[in-house]
Amino acid sequence: MSFNGVLVFVISLAVLIAFLPSIKKFCLEGVREWQETDEEEKKQMTCFALLFLVAGVAYLVWRFF
């Protein structure tokens, strides 16, 4: 690993630590909102997320293989 790679890793780690409280707050709000939704909405959101996941994997397979 070169010095530039180590420098980028340290900077990204420092940024992650700096934004960790706001990231944690965002995730907790998302969990709270998820618990308040009804089952039909959960099914729709899960289906939509799985669709994007499959599309992303298909793109990566198409792009790199």
Side-chain angles (χ1 to χ4, degrees):
M1 185 182 265
S2 67
F3 178 72
N4 288 340
V6 173
L7 184 64
V8 168
F9 177 75
V10 169
I11 290 173
S12 62
L13 192 60
V15 168
L16 177 66
I17 291 171
F19 285 107
L20 200 57
S22 60
I23 293 171
K24 183 179 177 184
K25 181 181 175 187
F26 177 76
C27 290
L28 289 176
E29 286 177 11
V31 168
R32 190 177 312 117
E33 189 174 317
W34 178 259
Q35 291 172 344
E36 293 173 356
T37 57
D38 63 345
E39 291 300 317
E40 188 61 33
E41 281 184 281
K42 284 183 182 179
K43 287 179 186 175
Q44 290 175 355
M45 288 189 284
T46 304
C47 183
F48 198 62
L50 287 174
L51 178 69
F52 268 95
L53 182 66
V54 169
V57 169
Y59 171 75
L60 290 175
V61 167
W62 172 76
R63 180 80 170 111
F64 294 109
F65 294 106

